[in-house]
Amino acid sequence: MSPTHDRSHSDELLSFVSACPSPYHAVASAAQRLEKAGFAELREADDWSAGAEGGRYVVRGGALIAWYVPPGAPARTPFRIIGAHTDSPNLRVKPVPDTGAAGWRQIAVEIYGGVPLNTWLDRDLGVSGRLALRDGSTRLVRVDKPLLRVPQLAIHLDRDVNEGLALDRQRHMTPLWGLGDVEPGALLGRIAAEADADVAEVLGWDLMLHDLQPPGYLGMDEEFIVSPRLDNLISVHAGVTALVAAATSRPPAYVPVLAAFDHEEVGSGSESGAQGPLLERVLARGVGARGGGGEDVNRALAGAFCVSADMSHAVHPNYPERHDPDHRPLPNAGPVVKVNANQRYATDGAGVAAFAAACERADVPWQPFVSNNAMPCGTSIGPITAARLGVATVDVGVPGLSMHSARELCGARDPGLLSRALTEFVTSR
């Protein structure tokens, strides 16, 4: 990719990632873009009968389900679903956050998801998430100031560090933020002030740390993106782009759906995760709003197809032996189709064919991926969604390096290629 390459999509992606330090911000940013395209929010407790056609979306915590019903579409119209997730591995603030040791004031954190702990050392960290208020409302908050840091032990005190760094999750990952005695309530007071909230009204919170270094381009010809949270904001952004295109460019042959779940990094078992009933309830209610019944729901699902879009692995040049010798995806060569015979991914031969056909129509290259037999395989929301809804599902994703790191890498062309393929998938037969 040369510096003169059209990178409008990747520029938009970097802006999106910057605006989304937490799943709650990701949902808010996606909703804002959908509303600009004419989508309207529906609340789960409301009557949906007025939301039969057009673009609609539902928010639950850090999850968003959005869809577009073409004018005159029968209630039984099949769904084309793009599945993704809004969360990323990180450090999350504990319920009693203010702590300290040896004259330092610190903040207690819990490890969320599969975090390579060393990637969070010696970084300037902010705080983001949401506050839960006494009246039942929530308020987004983000502090983009260097409040916290997890300092690594100096090499003079750990001479063998380059032979293998061992970090205790409880003792070694507590960030510092000041000197002196522990002051209970200090962090919450600071965060509430940043959110313009009365700290006495804050009864709960979901707060997490984020790296303050902004995303950007890297490489001789700026052919790479380096950024936090590429897994999986790449797919959320591409899914929103595809859904907006389906609603504004050409009438789709299906009902396109974006399902951006929370908590994928910890197994998806929550009210806003893929293991919960949120998606199937929303789909059924959408059919009901168009006058359909249970039989129409079943017919719409029988003809449905889901693309589970999540980050994937590019071959690592320093560790090529960790990859299958015949399946070595590279950046900027298009999205990968992920296969696992043990159903860690939901892809089968028909899924490969369906996604490959969409890529051909969109003039997008694609690459196959399978794990080395001697290495454990990751997973995604794909198998969960396939089992929960009983719909054909294919797992795909942008190949990258440093997955789950505080700062990940992918090809600068690939997010746009994924978006083009997903747009074709949800709009064409």
Side-chain angles (χ1 to χ4, degrees):
M1 174 180 167
S2 70
T4 59
H5 182 89
D6 178 12
R7 60 186 194 187
S8 58
H9 183 91
S10 53
D11 284 344
E12 290 180 3
L13 171 64
L14 298 190
S15 296
F16 182 74
V17 172
S18 295
C20 303
S22 78
Y24 313 108
H25 289 84
V27 165
S29 296
Q32 184 179 48
R33 184 173 181 190
L34 290 170
E35 288 185 352
K36 287 182 179 179
F39 285 67
E41 182 177 8
L42 293 176
R43 300 187 183 277
E44 290 185 78
D46 291 345
D47 181 358
W48 287 16
S49 59
E53 294 183 350
R56 300 290 188 273
Y57 70 90
V58 170
V59 170
R60 181 188 288 185
L64 176 144
I65 310 295
W67 65 98
Y68 176 76
V69 178
R76 64 181 182 276
T77 303
F79 301 108
R80 282 294 181 267
I81 303 167
I82 298 170
H85 66 89
T86 60
D87 61 318
S88 300
N90 59 15
L91 309 180
R92 304 211 169 185
V93 178
K94 287 184 175 180
V96 180
D98 297 285
T99 187
W104 293 89
R105 294 172 64 182
Q106 295 174 279
I107 299 301
V109 295
E110 188 173 8
I111 312 302
Y112 177 84
V115 179
L117 298 178
N118 64 297
T119 68
W120 284 82
L121 301 178
D122 296 333
R123 291 184 177 272
D124 298 337
L125 303 172
V127 179
S128 58
R130 66 177 181 176
L131 303 176
L133 306 184
R134 189 181 302 277
D135 63 5
S137 65
T138 59
R139 186 171 301 184
L140 289 180
V141 61
R142 62 180 296 173
V143 183
D144 285 329
K145 299 174 183 177
L147 282 185
L148 306 168
R149 183 181 179 93
V150 183
Q152 184 168 346
L153 187 63
I155 194 169
H156 312 79
L157 305 177
D158 188 7
R159 294 291 185 177
D160 296 326
V161 63
N162 291 323
E163 306 305 317
L165 176 63
L167 293 171
D168 184 282
R169 295 162 69 92
Q170 178 68 24
R171 295 186 296 120
H172 298 153
M173 295 305 297
T174 306
L176 59 85
W177 79 313
L179 290 169
D181 295 333
V182 175
E183 182 183 342
L187 177 70
L188 184 58
R190 176 64 179 271
I191 300 302
E194 293 281 351
D196 196 25
D198 182 352
V199 69
E201 296 300 307
V202 179
L203 299 184
W205 59 85
D206 300 287
L207 298 174
M208 58 204 72
L209 311 190
H210 63 273
D211 180 20
L212 294 180
Q213 185 177 1
Y217 293 95
L218 178 137
M220 180 177 64
D221 292 323
E222 297 187 337
E223 64 262 57
F224 306 118
I225 287 173
V226 284
S227 171
R229 303 180 296 281
L230 291 178
D231 178 17
N232 188 33
L233 293 183
I234 280 181
S235 302
V236 175
H237 179 258
V240 171
T241 301
L243 190 58
V244 168
T248 58
S249 61
R250 52 181 172 172
Y254 309 98
V255 173
V257 179
L258 170 64
F261 296 106
D262 199 357
H263 301 131
E264 188 273 346
E265 298 293 358
V266 292
S268 298
S270 71
E271 63 170 350
S272 52
Q275 285 200 48
L278 177 60
L279 177 57
E280 61 193 271
R281 286 181 181 175
V282 168
L283 296 180
R285 291 186 68 183
V287 170
R290 305 201 302 278
E295 183 66 11
D296 295 296
V297 173
N298 290 333
R299 293 179 69 182
L301 289 174
F305 206 103
C306 175
V307 169
S308 167
D310 203 349
M311 196 79 172
S312 187
H313 299 290
V315 61
H316 198 302
N318 297 340
Y319 304 90
E321 73 281 359
R322 302 295 181 97
H323 301 263
D324 185 88
D326 300 314
H327 299 82
R328 295 185 168 185
L330 285 171
N332 293 325
V336 303
V337 178
K338 299 185 279 187
V339 176
N340 181 261
N342 296 297
Q343 294 301 294
R344 299 290 286 173
Y345 303 125
T347 308
D348 62 9
V352 173
F355 188 74
C359 287
E360 287 181 359
R361 294 193 300 269
D363 193 25
V364 169
W366 64 277
Q367 309 173 78
F369 171 82
V370 68
S371 293
N372 185 313
N373 284 335
M375 303 296 296
C377 179
T379 189
S380 72
I381 65 165
I384 297 171
T385 304
R388 181 93 206 187
L389 296 181
V391 300
T393 302
V394 57
D395 274 289
V396 307
V398 166
L401 298 180
S402 306
M403 188 186 294
H404 287 196
S405 169
R407 197 164 179 83
E408 300 165 318
L409 178 148
C410 74
R413 293 183 64 237
D414 286 329
L417 294 174
L418 175 64
S419 177
R420 281 168 48 189
L422 294 179
T423 300
E424 186 65 31
F425 166 75
V426 297
T427 55
S428 298
R429 293 191 184 278

